[in-house]
Amino acid sequence: MPVQKQTRAGQRTRFKAFVVAGDYSGHIGLGVKSAKEVAGAIRGALNIAKISIIPARKGFWGEKIGSPHTVPMKVTGKCGSIRLRCIPAPKGTGIVAGKIPKKLLTMAGYEDVFTSSKGHTRTFGNFAKATFQAIYLTYSFTTPDFWLHEKLIESPMIG
């Protein structure tokens, strides 16, 4: 997208690129770069996207049958005025989201997710960043499957 800055001599046009890198099975990265030329912006954004790859944690809705297919819990990503909430959905629902979050959630490997968004969602960059943050937050919550299972040893004082 072209971004213009007013200078004394006129306008200075720069191009801003948003690039998403994902493997459709649990990893996603988002890169944002601004440059004088489109090709330079895309190249830089792709490098940043590859560097910023994060794991996308998946979970179940209801019974743990089959492979994980949705977000493990409700998460909210925030950027600017936008609040994007990802909610676990039952199998077969698909991704119920706008155009931008749908692409990011699909590239992260999610199959079924409900979303709810507030704010000025036409701001393309902030909408993408809010979605990326929501995916990032899936690993911020520790659930029992991450707890260490240590075998208890019997006290020598007993017996």
Side-chain angles (χ1 to χ4, degrees):
M1 77 166 52
V3 180
Q4 290 187 331
K5 177 185 176 184
Q6 190 70 40
T7 61
R8 225 173 5 168
Q11 289 112 352
R12 185 190 71 179
T13 304
R14 298 183 84 205
F15 298 95
K16 198 169 192 178
F18 294 89
V19 175
V20 179
D23 62 357
Y24 295 89
S25 64
H27 298 91
I28 190 163
L30 177 68
V32 182
K33 179 72 177 161
S34 187
K36 287 182 181 178
E37 294 179 15
V38 176
I42 292 171
R43 202 175 312 114
L46 182 61
N47 288 338
I48 293 167
K50 288 177 182 177
I51 290 168
S52 69
I53 285 181
I54 57 163
R57 185 170 169 202
K58 293 193 222 173
F60 296 94
W61 183 91
E63 295 297 316
K64 294 183 180 180
I65 300 169
S67 59
H69 58 96
T70 186
V71 287
M73 76 293 266
K74 293 177 187 175
V75 286
T76 304
K78 304 172 193 173
C79 186
S81 70
I82 298 173
R83 305 288 178 265
L84 179 99
R85 190 172 193 210
C86 293
I87 304 158
K91 251 192 195 320
T93 306
I95 297 174
V96 183
K99 198 174 179 182
I100 298 161
K102 191 170 197 165
K103 273 193 176 131
L104 268 85
L105 292 167
T106 304
M107 288 186 87
Y110 293 110
E111 296 161 29
D112 311 295
V113 181
F114 290 130
T115 62
S116 165
S117 54
K118 291 180 187 176
H120 193 77
T121 56
R122 276 186 63 189
T123 314
F124 180 90
N126 287 356
F127 208 12
K129 287 178 186 177
T131 307
F132 186 72
Q133 189 193 13
I135 295 168
Y136 173 77
L137 290 174
T138 57
Y139 265 104
S140 69
F141 194 83
T142 306
T143 53
D145 56 329
F146 278 139
W147 296 349
L148 290 174
H149 296 287
E150 293 181 11
K151 190 176 178 185
L152 296 175
I153 42 179
E154 206 170 303
S155 173
M157 302 307 244
I158 298 174

